[in-house]
Amino acid sequence: KVFAVVGPLDQLREGDEAELTGDWQLHPKFGEQLRVTSAVPTITPNQRGVEGFLARLEHIGPARARAIYERFGDNTFKILEEEPDALTEIPGLTEDRVDTIVAAYAEHRSRRESLVRLKGLGLTDWQTSKVLEWASREAKQRRALGLVRGSEAEAQAAVLTETLQHQPYALTEIKGFG
């Protein structure tokens, strides 16, 4: 069934798979729509889902995504996390390109974990978006001072974890949070 989805979808990109929560409504002009209150990206652990995800990472694209999945199958994410050098078996993937791919994968995984964590606390998509924006600003400041390390997403995740565990009331600095 094809239908329109409206609401806060800023965490998604075209072609993403997601778990959606919301209410059905009938729009007078556009017909049946799902008004989304929550949208959490997912990766379907099948060939289409894995290839679709990989194709978005730098230096991969659809053809290489297919080659990677054909070589590693359901172990693709395990290879990315534990044995990334094995990706050099794929034609055209040099060690430098593999390093870039692994960094992009880690960045995506870190962002996804932060998103899932916040959604697990019951925050709305709007609140989640605002908290992630705040954590990103905090992470940039702390990285500049040498207080956190890692990629932007890793630093953001570290700030988020530390804040939620030790200073949750710091989130009241965000406009709209009480």
Side-chain angles (χ1 to χ4, degrees):
K1 180 178 180 178
V2 177
F3 55 89
V5 178
V6 295
L9 302 168
D10 56 336
Q11 302 297 332
L12 301 176
R13 295 184 358 201
E14 185 176 340
D16 281 350
E17 293 184 18
E19 183 177 309
L20 304 174
T21 305
D23 297 308
W24 290 101
Q25 65 182 26
L26 188 59
H27 189 278
K29 183 175 180 181
F30 301 108
E32 190 174 39
Q33 298 180 335
L34 179 63
R35 173 146 312 272
V36 173
T37 55
S38 173
V40 179
T42 60
I43 299 173
T44 305
N46 60 26
Q47 183 171 359
R48 181 175 170 226
V50 174
E51 285 182 16
F53 170 77
L54 291 176
R56 295 182 176 159
L57 298 179
E58 191 173 348
H59 297 303
I60 294 188
R64 281 202 183 115
R66 188 173 315 110
I68 291 169
Y69 188 84
E70 287 174 359
R71 171 67 182 91
F72 301 111
D74 293 339
N75 292 322
T76 299
F77 293 130
K78 183 177 181 181
I79 295 296
L80 275 167
E81 294 170 13
E82 298 175 12
E83 302 173 52
D85 291 339
L87 292 173
T88 58
E89 297 172 18
I90 306 300
L93 289 184
T94 63
E95 286 184 29
D96 288 343
R97 284 186 175 176
V98 168
D99 289 345
T100 303
I101 291 165
V102 169
Y105 175 73
E107 190 92 358
H108 176 81
R109 189 178 74 203
S110 202
R111 281 197 174 104
R112 184 171 191 273
E113 288 170 357
S114 293
L115 177 64
V116 169
R117 184 175 195 178
L118 291 171
K119 297 300 289 178
L121 294 173
L123 272 62
T124 66
D125 284 349
W126 179 87
Q127 290 170 322
T128 298
S129 175
K130 293 300 178 188
V131 170
L132 291 175
E133 288 172 14
W134 175 85
S136 179
R137 286 192 305 274
E138 284 291 312
K140 284 178 186 171
Q141 291 174 355
R142 294 180 191 187
R143 281 177 76 197
L145 296 171
L147 300 174
V148 292
R149 296 178 187 218
S151 70
E152 183 180 323
E154 290 167 332
Q156 179 181 333
V159 166
L160 190 58
T161 297
E162 188 253 323
T163 302
L164 291 174
Q165 288 178 350
H166 303 291
Q167 301 171 314
Y169 292 106
L171 298 179
T172 61
E173 295 174 19
I174 303 169
K175 185 177 179 176
F177 280 73

